[in-house]
Amino acid sequence: MSGESRHASAETTVRPTPARVWIDLVSPSHPFLFDGLVGGLENVSVTTTVREKTETVSLAREVGFEHRVVGRDFDNAFVRKFGIPLRTMQLAVSAPECDVSLSARNAMCVLASRARGTPSIHFTDNDITAHVDGLWIEELYNRFEAAATHNVVPRAFAAEELTRWGADPDSIHTYDGYKEDVYVAGFDPDPTFLDGLPFSSGEYIVVRPEALTAAYVDADSIVPDLLAEASERDIGVVYLPRGRGDESYAREYADDAVYVPDGAVNGLQLAWHARCVLTGSGTMSREAACMEKPAVSFFPNTLLSVDQELVADGRIFHSRDAETIIEHIAGLDPSDVEPDRERARTVRDEVVELTNELIRSVRQ
């Protein structure tokens, strides 16, 4: 063979076929998480399904995922228990042909993948049953998540929440950070965002109520007290009800005191421009903390391990007393409110590299 022929052969080396990746989005934070992840994945083609739950579908559309809607969430807690197995069966029948599935806190995708013989990479940071006894629904969900081919978790996560339900320790992969870092890292702030809010001062806090219908929550909401305390101090509030009765908490206030957006709103933009983010769950406080913004959790039970670590590091303030929370916010200095994403970018790069390695491993 001549040197020219050898050169031509090298030039026409065939690139490996792209890995077919199926992503299933089931909660409002998932479009952002997987949008932040997909941009760094190597040689993949992506197909996406979405569950109809609060803003999940509209946010998937907003970040640019072409998707098909499969199944829905239900407001009624009893009916919701049946919605999960129903959607799992729908996915098992109609999920796209793929080499691997990616999902987060999503036993439905894990089980459907297993039924189809498809390897699964599952992201979770929820170890609630490590701290609350008797939650058989959550225990069952964790057992199903443990069936994933690979589970990717923060280093702070209590890994026994997977191994106790049958996960192989070698299938659990950790990273030094939080899942919210993955999408905070590439977030693009909009300098005109404040123009759409009714606060003349440009300052506001964000309040997201507790998930009172969740099996692991047994408490009354402190949101009415928070709104009252904020109003007394003339602190503007962007209030994000969950739509299960908690929208009524804002009805007595004018929009320039407590503003409830009409439709979905980008939570990252809200956090970036806010003085502080307050939530009765976990995701929004972690998003703010990963931006180095002030964050408050008023979660009513023992915190997840990831949140406990953030509280211990001083990156989240936790309290169930409305007056104490508002006093904390009033005492913040301008330097406390200045955001930064350098740490988040380091975490994202670690998670992207790990995910690429796992995708390559399941194709071998």
Side-chain angles (χ1 to χ4, degrees):
M1 182 182 290
S2 69
E4 182 177 350
S5 298
R6 287 195 299 269
H7 179 73
S9 176
E11 289 292 330
T12 57
T13 300
V14 178
R15 188 182 184 190
T17 303
R20 298 171 300 169
V21 174
W22 164 38
I23 297 177
D24 187 43
L25 310 173
V26 299
S27 293
S29 65
H30 294 176
F32 298 114
L33 169 62
F34 287 104
D35 181 53
L37 185 64
V38 163
L41 298 185
E42 300 169 356
N43 196 29
V44 299
S45 62
V46 174
T47 306
T48 308
T49 53
V50 185
R51 177 174 65 158
E52 191 174 322
K53 177 183 179 181
T54 57
E55 310 95 1
T56 309
V57 172
S58 60
L59 291 174
R61 187 181 307 114
E62 178 183 322
V63 301
F65 278 113
E66 294 184 9
H67 61 271
R68 178 167 55 90
V69 176
V70 179
R72 55 166 294 190
D73 188 30
F74 296 91
D75 288 344
N76 183 282
F78 179 77
V79 176
R80 194 179 310 131
K81 295 173 184 176
F82 294 96
I84 290 175
L86 172 61
R87 186 173 187 272
T88 301
M89 290 186 288
Q90 290 175 311
L91 291 175
V93 171
S94 65
E97 293 294 327
C98 63
D99 298 307
V100 62
S101 68
L102 300 184
S103 63
R105 184 61 176 155
N106 184 351
M108 296 172 284
C109 182
V110 170
L111 292 179
S113 299
R114 192 176 181 91
R116 295 169 67 90
T118 300
S120 55
I121 301 173
H122 180 254
F123 298 79
T124 189
D125 59 0
N126 192 311
D127 54 9
I128 193 69
T129 62
H131 316 295
V132 183
D133 294 329
L135 297 178
W136 69 271
I137 288 292
E138 290 294 316
E139 291 175 357
L140 188 63
Y141 207 80
N142 284 8
R143 183 184 295 275
F144 293 151
E145 289 178 338
T149 311
H150 297 284
N151 270 290
V152 179
V153 301
R155 197 156 294 155
F157 178 84
E160 59 269 20
E161 273 304 288
L162 295 171
T163 56
R164 69 190 287 207
W165 304 119
D168 183 339
D170 291 338
S171 73
I172 302 172
H173 312 271
T174 64
Y175 59 93
D176 188 15
Y178 309 94
K179 74 177 189 301
E180 291 78 12
D181 284 310
V182 174
Y183 52 97
V184 163
F187 166 66
D188 186 18
D190 178 1
T192 69
F193 181 76
L194 291 174
D195 297 343
L197 300 180
F199 309 114
S200 58
S201 67
E203 282 205 341
Y204 64 91
I205 62 175
V206 179
V207 176
R208 177 77 159 168
E210 308 94 335
L212 295 178
T213 60
Y216 49 81
V217 174
D218 181 20
D220 294 326
S221 179
I222 69 166
V223 167
D225 293 336
L226 283 172
L227 299 184
E229 290 284 344
S231 179
E232 287 180 11
R233 293 178 181 250
D234 293 323
I235 298 174
V237 176
V238 175
Y239 179 53
L240 305 175
R242 293 177 181 273
R244 291 170 178 157
D246 50 21
E247 63 276 5
S248 63
Y249 301 152
R251 286 176 184 162
E252 65 182 273
Y253 300 97
D255 276 358
D256 59 357
V258 178
Y259 174 65
V260 181
D262 183 15
V265 63
N266 189 313
L268 298 183
Q269 296 289 353
L270 278 175
W272 182 269
H273 296 281
R275 182 173 179 81
C276 186
V277 174
L278 294 69
T279 178
S281 291
T283 298
M284 291 194 71
S285 60
R286 289 191 296 274
E287 288 173 347
C290 290
M291 292 179 177
E292 307 296 335
K293 295 284 290 188
V296 170
S297 168
F298 52 95
F299 185 69
N301 298 99
T302 303
L303 297 173
L304 301 183
S305 296
V306 288
D307 294 322
Q308 291 182 39
E309 181 176 78
L310 285 164
V311 170
D313 289 345
R315 298 173 64 190
I316 290 179
F317 179 81
H318 180 256
S319 175
R320 287 286 295 169
D321 183 77
E323 184 176 0
T324 300
I325 291 171
I326 298 301
E327 286 179 358
H328 169 75
I329 294 168
L332 294 171
D333 294 326
S335 60
D336 297 325
V337 181
E338 191 66 28
D340 183 79
R341 288 165 293 165
E342 195 60 36
R343 183 187 339 216
R345 288 170 179 147
T346 300
V347 177
R348 175 195 57 191
D349 293 346
E350 180 183 356
V351 176
V352 166
E353 181 180 358
L354 173 57
T355 307
N356 276 319
E357 290 175 359
L358 294 177
I359 291 174
R360 287 192 291 268
S361 74
V362 300
R363 297 191 78 197
Q364 292 176 351

